[in-house]
Amino acid sequence: MNGVTDIHPDAVLASLLDKGGRSNRRANLAKMHELCRRQHAAGSRDFSLPAIGRLAEAEGILKGRALYNAPSADYRALIEAWTAYAGPAAPKPPKTLASHEYLMRIEDPAIRSIMQAIIAERDKLKAQLNVLKANTQVTVDRRPLGATVSAAPGAQPVAVLALSAQLTPSEREALQKAVSASYLEERGLKEGSHGEIVNERGRVVFEVGFARAVRKVLGDAIPR
């Protein structure tokens, strides 16, 4: 007797068996009682339902999850009697951190103190990083550069890519050069009043609107 309760589990078992019922139930109650008795004799004070349920299932008495069902009230009463008889489970020893074990292996007190400060700073930074991770929401805009969103009534928004945004840097540079005044002048060409490109004799090389069309493709609103 450990002083936790004056009621021995044997008396609880006898009371439960006196209720009668099916022989299978009475036999399983006796088996459960014997299982708990062995658990107590081994010095264990863990009579929780998960622990006893696993043992009972291993011995084929009943399924562990069945202990939580309403018809298993007598089994739970018997287990609770053993719980009260054995007393509370012994507290688990505090878990020693790996960093503490590492520090204890350092013989030099000065170096140990320095390493302890470094580990403390590391743990502080890790905690701050975890707080940032928990409160950071990153929005990724996967639309291409230069795209605009167009949405018709009742339809999903669609990213529309401007023509100028489709050009590579070299393509853009080539078009800009093609309608620049200095480039045209070097080749004896010039831009007419309506965007046409003419040579020194005034003959049209590129038709009316050519230079303007190129600038529209580039998205360049700067006049010539």
Side-chain angles (χ1 to χ4, degrees), residues 98-108 112:
S99 57
H100 178 75
E101 294 178 349
Y102 171 75
L103 288 173
M104 292 301 100
R105 292 201 298 269
I106 300 175
E107 296 180 359
D108 190 317
R112 187 189 308 138

Side-chain angles (χ1 to χ4, degrees), residues 16 23 48 65 67 88 97 102 129 143 151 157 166 177 200 204 216:
L16 294 173
S23 59
S48 62
R65 61 178 179 272
L67 287 176
L97 298 177
Y102 171 75
L129 179 60
R143 293 175 298 178
Q166 300 180 41
K177 188 175 182 179
E200 293 174 340
V204 176
K216 285 182 179 180

Side-chain angles (χ1 to χ4, degrees), residues 104-212:
M104 292 301 100
R105 292 201 298 269
I106 300 175
E107 296 180 359
D108 190 317
I111 297 178
R112 187 189 308 138
S113 177
I114 293 172
M115 290 303 301
Q116 186 173 8
I118 292 173
I119 291 173
E121 182 65 18
R122 179 206 62 183
D123 293 343
K124 177 183 175 181
L125 292 175
K126 285 176 66 177
Q128 291 175 347
L129 179 60
N130 290 334
V131 171
L132 289 174
K133 287 180 178 179
N135 293 279
T136 299
Q137 181 176 0
V138 179
T139 302
V140 179
D141 188 349
R142 300 180 64 183
R143 293 175 298 178
L145 293 176
T148 57
V149 176
S150 176
Q156 290 289 335
V158 177
V160 180
L161 189 62
L163 184 58
S164 60
Q166 300 180 41
L167 298 173
T168 65
S170 60
E171 291 171 343
R172 172 177 286 276
E173 183 179 349
L175 289 176
Q176 287 174 335
K177 188 175 182 179
V179 294
S180 67
S182 58
Y183 180 83
L184 293 173
E185 185 179 353
E186 288 175 2
R187 284 153 182 76
L189 304 173
K190 66 178 181 178
E191 182 180 341
S193 59
H194 299 291
E196 72 276 18
I197 305 299
V198 298
N199 60 17
E200 293 174 340
R201 298 179 181 181
R203 182 176 296 177
V204 176
V205 179
F206 294 106
E207 300 298 328
V208 172
F210 173 78
R212 294 177 180 175

